[in-house]
Amino acid sequence: MKLKTTFRSVLWLLAIMVLFYDLSDARPPAPIAEIGTPVFEFAPAIAGQEVTHAFTIRNTGNAELHIPGVYSG
């Protein structure tokens, strides 16, 4: 009889843990920007020479990602 009570208690504990785990993971929708290589070092260039590099930005979130402006620095 004691084993049956212990087993029942363990099942209830596991059920509660699963319930709270699911609730703690519920976040509001938000964009998440992932940049493959966030920093790029250009090789030396001659003055006036145009240099370019393409950065890949991927949204892994669950809301639309807005990028209003990009500036070099």
Side-chain angles (χ1 to χ4, degrees):
M1 186 70 166
K2 182 166 174 68
L3 181 62
K4 190 175 185 180
T5 305
T6 303
F7 183 70
R8 203 177 284 162
S9 297
V10 169
L11 283 179
W12 275 109
L13 181 62
L14 286 173
I16 291 170
M17 288 172 61
V18 167
L19 176 67
F20 280 108
Y21 177 76
D22 285 343
L23 292 176
S24 68
D25 199 32
R27 295 186 183 105
I32 300 172
E34 270 190 16
I35 304 171
T37 307
V39 177
F40 180 79
E41 296 279 336
F42 284 98
I46 300 170
Q49 180 182 7
E50 183 178 316
V51 291
T52 62
H53 177 73
F55 289 93
T56 302
I57 302 172
R58 189 175 74 189
N59 181 12
T60 59
N62 54 1
E64 189 172 339
L65 174 65
H66 296 277
I67 303 174
V70 177
Y71 305 96
S72 62

